[in-house]
Amino acid sequence: MRGFRGVVLAVALLATPLPAGAATLGLDISGAGLVFTNPIEFTIGWAFDVTTPVRVTALGVWDEGLNGLNSAHGVGLWTGAGALLASTTVPADLGAELKVASAVSQGQWLFETIPTLTLDPGHYVMGATTDADEFRAFQPSVILDPALANIDSGKFAVGATLQFPNLDEADLDIHDEFSLFGPSLLVEPVPVTPVPLPTSLSLLGLGLLGVGAHRAIRRRG
């Protein structure tokens, strides 16, 4: 019976989708960057490539000092061509749904959940409004989720409302990557869908199930 149970269990596992893992930071900052505020309101962010499909579950912004935001911030996610895929507003103070620790102990990330969005391999851009809150720039390093790559961290657009940040340091005749953080996102792996079982293997599993049930009935009798 142990061998029979093992076969039936294997058949069941092959027919069951594997769950996704817990959501993690798509990007975190690390190292000693500089803290800025800007009197001119604008959208800041970064561009990146997705190399392996991921699901985005929340969008958020940086909270320098861990004491909440002075004002609410719009945050968005676009395709590389500028089509808005998702957006939300992170409320002022510490009213965000989720608080996620950073490798930089002087701050944290505040997130609002969004309807789960799957990103296929391709190029994408994030942006968040700045208002009167502090943000990070000239970060020496970042920590990326393994599914993300090729970060372009100095994207921006001038204006008080959330908009596609399509400018970068080249537009200001700056040749150093100044980085702007800004926003981040929570991601999780896409569940692995198992390959459908061949008909013959499915029938084998059902046949073994029948044999096992028959033997069990005979023993009880």
Side-chain angles (χ1 to χ4, degrees):
M1 283 294 290
R2 289 183 180 177
F4 158 71
R5 289 174 181 168
V7 172
V8 173
L9 177 59
V11 171
L13 289 175
L14 286 172
T16 303
L18 299 178
T24 57
L25 283 168
L27 174 145
D28 191 15
I29 58 177
S30 62
L34 300 180
V35 179
F36 285 88
T37 57
N38 198 307
I40 300 174
E41 294 182 343
F42 63 130
T43 297
I44 61 174
W46 45 282
F48 62 101
D49 291 336
V50 171
T51 58
T52 304
V54 291
R55 300 199 305 188
V56 180
T57 60
L59 302 178
V61 296
W62 178 249
D63 170 27
E64 182 71 27
L66 299 95
N67 53 2
L69 305 173
N70 294 319
S71 59
H73 290 259
V75 55
L77 174 64
W78 294 262
T79 66
L84 183 65
L85 298 174
S87 64
T88 189
T89 299
V90 181
D93 300 317
L94 290 169
E97 292 181 55
L98 304 171
K99 302 173 183 64
V100 180
S102 169
V104 174
S105 60
Q106 295 91 339
Q108 64 181 340
W109 298 97
L110 302 179
F111 285 96
E112 290 290 299
T113 59
I114 62 170
T116 300
L117 171 68
T118 298
L119 298 185
D120 293 321
H123 191 63
Y124 300 91
V125 180
M126 286 211 70
T129 57
T130 56
D131 299 324
D133 282 295
E134 296 175 321
F135 60 91
R136 288 277 177 147
F138 295 101
Q139 283 296 140
S141 59
V142 297
I143 303 168
L144 282 178
D145 183 272
L148 310 185
N150 303 324
I151 182 172
D152 177 6
S153 58
K155 309 296 289 185
F156 69 95
V158 178
T161 59
L162 180 69
Q163 53 192 301
F164 179 55
N166 62 333
L167 303 176
D168 58 27
E169 64 273 7
D171 296 286
L172 296 176
D173 198 25
I174 296 175
H175 302 291
D176 295 326
E177 182 79 6
F178 53 80
S179 72
L180 295 170
F181 307 104
S184 190
L185 68 171
L186 291 181
V187 299
E188 62 184 23
V190 174
V192 178
T193 302
V195 178
L197 292 173
T199 303
S200 57
L201 184 55
S202 299
L203 291 176
L204 172 62
L206 291 174
L208 291 173
L209 182 63
V211 170
H214 179 69
R215 288 181 178 177
I217 293 172
R218 289 185 59 186
R219 288 179 181 178
R220 290 181 181 177

